[in-house]
Amino acid sequence: MSAAPARPRPLIDALLPVAALAIALMLFSLFVALEGQAPLEVLETIFAGAFGDAFGWQNTLLRAAPLILTGLAVALPARAGLVIIGGEGALAFGALGAAAVAVPLAGSPNPLLWLAMALAGMIAGGVLIGFAGALRQWRGVNETISSLLLSYIAVALMNHFVEGPLRDPASLNKPSTYPLAPEAMLGALPGLDVHVGLAVGVVCALLAWVFLHFTVWGFAVRVVGGNPRAAAMAGLAVTPWVIGLCAAGGAMAGLAGMIEVAAVHGACNASVLVGYGHAGILIAFIARQNPLAVVPAAVLIGGIGAAGSLLQRRLDMPDATVLVLQGILFVVLIAIETLRGHAWRLPQLAAPRHSPTPALAAKTDVSV
Amino acid sequence: MHVDAITAVLLAMLGGAIRVSTPFLFVSLGETITEKAGRINLGLEGTLVMGAMSAYAASLHSGQPWLGVLAAAGAGAVFGLLHGLLASLRRVNDIALGIALMLLGTGLAFYWGKAYIQPQAPTLTAFHLGAWSDSPALRSALDINPLFIAGLVLAFALHWAFANTRLGLTLRLVGDSEAAARAAGAAVIPTRIAATVFGGALAGVGGAFLSLFYPGSWNEGLSNGQGIMAVALVIFARWQPRRCVLAALMFGAAGAIGPALQSVGISSGYYLFNAAPYALTLLLMALTCSRDTSLKGAPGELSLNR
């Protein structure tokens, strides 16, 4: 950890995620081989299950839709230097909020109903993660831990409402909220077997990208994320920016929850919680917090997830296989950061650090 | 509520505190050691799950639950080593690495654990310290697991070792000021790696408690963030092993509110009470953290309180 900042090497730096993917695939192959499976066959099956045919693609894109949004939920606060891992709870809150307003508003004209559901989901998720940002700015509480705790609290609240006050008495085995009217459901994209949520995700990613890279506010955000102290000295209101980005991120995850309710499940119940919120962390890291790169990263992770059932059916492997692949990919991705700007030099394990201050500063660099 | 019911709830909470606190205790003691050396391992959640699975598997195959505990410690140490080594690389953020290892540990535990969801492995037996009492509630509250006692002993031993041994001193020095540690000739990186390995091993043992005692079987929903809560618990305990005991008991009691109320017939709001330990953690963090100063008692090299 030298005192000098890493020299930017755009080409090498851009290739690092690709290198990470290659290394992760090799390690995963090794794991699979040790488990007595043929690595090539497993990788082939994953590819076939994810991108092999129209059915695979459809499955992949269905998962990518909420994943783009949960990826943005991590990527946006990260631009202000915060590591948020509470996306799953924000998604749960969003799903709950959307389902809660759908019941009293049933019968309203569709666009209005969709708008109300989306707003409810975004506000619910935004308040949750915004609170983590506020706790950090006002009380110095580490946002990584607080967002995860809030996530557990949100999931508990969702369970409480789904099994209690908002429960549809007709949902016997699987407690759910009252089902949405069929016409309130979000339809498919024209010509595709994938719901509108995919387009919503892509549009959100585009908007976030334009905001961050082409507006004065985006510049302010980058200053805040790069060096809060300098930003404060330059007269930028750091606290509102940090809380605002957290809230915006939470709103994205909340919107993902709304989409899962309004396009897939038709009600809020435990099935909306399948780990999209957690996968969002990985996606944001693959994309290096770039909103546009979140889209292909979400498709990649969505594809890996979609391949799970084919692995199970064809090779009789546990559905956790894809979780192992994701885990390996994530670890490699974080570890390979060590090569950033120093790709020409081998990492030194016990490299001397000059003084505690730069060591701390570098460790707090969240855009790892 | 009748007096009897209140007594029953309080007893159930006491029993719950003793029964549920052991994983919190072990993980928080492990995290205390790691953080004393200046690193944070958020991956202990994954380590806990991995420990639970390995313990159950080893106990099933060997018929010896204590071998299971050993296997859990071993699995935890391996994950600690991975974190310790990778976090030593330049530019690798220990918090992000922890999240990644959490995912990997959970994935591997679910993968290998698939085979152990059904069979019944031999579990640890409790000491029945309540045999003198006529009250079945009190008796069951005082069924104390040997791992709980081991955790208590460990907490006091660690407290003593931090203050009185050369190793303890080195650990604190490395965590407080890297420059001072180097000046004193301490091996900073190896100390941190060793502290992370030890912390991982303890978290593994915490997991072994889950699968081998309470609830006493392996399944994928076994840990509900106990590993993460332990990180907050360490902050609350101000990096002092003895206060970890208190904090763990408190969290155990908070987690037992829901089931305790249910046992006397109050089942509304069950899920809300389940959120109690998380809400408590958050509240404590909000109350004890401060924006302007670093936390009292926090190791100086820690990246948690930036």
Side-chain angles (χ1 to χ4, degrees), chain B residues 104-201:
Chain B
L104 180 64
T106 316
L108 284 176
F110 288 3
Y111 182 98
W112 284 320
K114 208 87 207 165
Y116 302 111
I117 292 180
Q118 282 299 331
Q120 183 58 48
T123 51
L124 296 167
T125 42
F127 297 130
H128 302 287
L129 297 186
W132 50 270
S133 165
D134 291 334
S135 154
L138 191 60
R139 273 212 299 269
S140 90
L142 288 179
D143 278 354
I144 289 176
N145 185 269
L147 278 178
F148 177 72
I149 294 166
L152 286 185
V153 173
L154 188 69
F156 284 90
L158 282 176
H159 172 78
W160 178 83
F162 280 146
N164 297 307
T165 66
R166 190 184 168 78
L167 199 63
L169 192 68
T170 310
L171 198 72
R172 286 192 300 156
L173 190 58
V174 162
D176 268 334
S177 163
E178 200 164 314
R182 286 196 193 287
V188 173
I189 302 290
T191 307
R192 286 195 176 144
I193 295 176
T196 315
V197 170
F198 197 63

Side-chain angles (χ1 to χ4, degrees), chain A residues 35 137 139 338 342 356 363, chain B residues 90-91 112 286 289 291:
Chain A
E35 289 294 313
Q137 289 307 111
R139 299 291 317 161
T338 191
H342 281 267
K363 274 195 177 248
Chain B
R90 292 163 170 236
R91 283 179 222 293
W112 284 320
C289 289
R291 189 184 166 174

Side-chain angles (χ1 to χ4, degrees), chain B:
Chain B
M1 238 193 314
H2 287 285
V3 178
D4 285 354
I6 294 173
T7 319
V9 168
L10 288 179
L11 263 181
M13 279 174 69
L14 170 73
I18 295 174
R19 198 162 47 233
V20 183
S21 62
T22 307
F24 288 119
L25 181 55
F26 273 91
V27 185
S28 63
L29 287 176
E31 186 72 19
T32 298
I33 297 168
T34 307
E35 290 190 13
K36 279 266 189 202
R39 286 245 174 91
I40 291 174
N41 186 358
L42 279 191
L44 291 188
E45 174 73 18
T47 311
L48 188 82
V49 179
M50 194 64 205
M53 192 282 299
S54 333
Y56 203 72
S59 171
L60 184 73
H61 289 304
S62 69
Q64 298 291 330
W66 285 101
L67 273 182
V69 176
L70 210 62
V78 170
F79 268 79
L81 185 64
L82 205 56
H83 188 282
L85 287 175
L86 292 178
S88 302
L89 295 169
R90 292 163 170 236
R91 283 179 222 293
V92 173
N93 175 306
D94 54 354
I95 292 187
L97 179 64
I99 303 169
L101 281 172
M102 190 192 314
L103 189 65
L104 180 64
T106 316
L108 284 176
F110 288 3
Y111 182 98
W112 284 320
K114 208 87 207 165
Y116 302 111
I117 292 180
Q118 282 299 331
Q120 183 58 48
T123 51
L124 296 167
T125 42
F127 297 130
H128 302 287
L129 297 186
W132 50 270
S133 165
D134 291 334
S135 154
L138 191 60
R139 273 212 299 269
S140 90
L142 288 179
D143 278 354
I144 289 176
N145 185 269
L147 278 178
F148 177 72
I149 294 166
L152 286 185
V153 173
L154 188 69
F156 284 90
L158 282 176
H159 172 78
W160 178 83
F162 280 146
N164 297 307
T165 66
R166 190 184 168 78
L167 199 63
L169 192 68
T170 310
L171 198 72
R172 286 192 300 156
L173 190 58
V174 162
D176 268 334
S177 163
E178 200 164 314
R182 286 196 193 287
V188 173
I189 302 290
T191 307
R192 286 195 176 144
I193 295 176
T196 315
V197 170
F198 197 63
L202 288 188
V205 173
F209 176 90
L210 289 176
S211 62
L212 293 181
F213 188 75
Y214 187 80
S217 64
W218 159 253
N219 69 71
E220 294 183 354
L222 199 64
S223 164
N224 256 316
Q226 277 115 319
I228 285 289
M229 276 194 273
V231 177
L233 214 141
V234 171
I235 299 173
F236 174 66
R238 292 264 181 269
W239 295 268
Q240 294 172 27
R242 290 184 306 180
R243 288 189 60 169
C244 285
V245 177
L246 206 72
L249 281 172
M250 210 165 79
F251 276 66
I257 294 178
L261 286 176
Q262 207 179 30
S263 73
V264 295
I266 301 173
S267 58
S268 69
Y270 178 79
Y271 288 94
L272 291 185
F273 287 115
N274 271 356
Y278 311 106
L280 179 68
T281 312
L282 198 62
L283 185 72
L284 285 174
M285 284 183 79
L287 290 179
T288 53
C289 289
S290 159
R291 189 184 166 174
D292 303 315
T293 53
S294 77
L295 285 168
K296 195 166 159 256
E301 296 280 326
L302 218 54
S303 59
L304 187 70
N305 317 300
R306 40 199 160 91

Side-chain angles (χ1 to χ4, degrees), chain A residues 258-289:
Chain A
M258 175 268 180
I259 286 172
E260 286 300 286
V261 165
V264 182
H265 301 288
C268 180
N269 55 43
S271 344
V272 301
L273 298 176
V274 289
Y276 288 150
H278 300 309
I281 311 166
L282 174 56
I283 288 161
F285 272 94
I286 296 178
R288 294 196 56 75
Q289 284 87 35

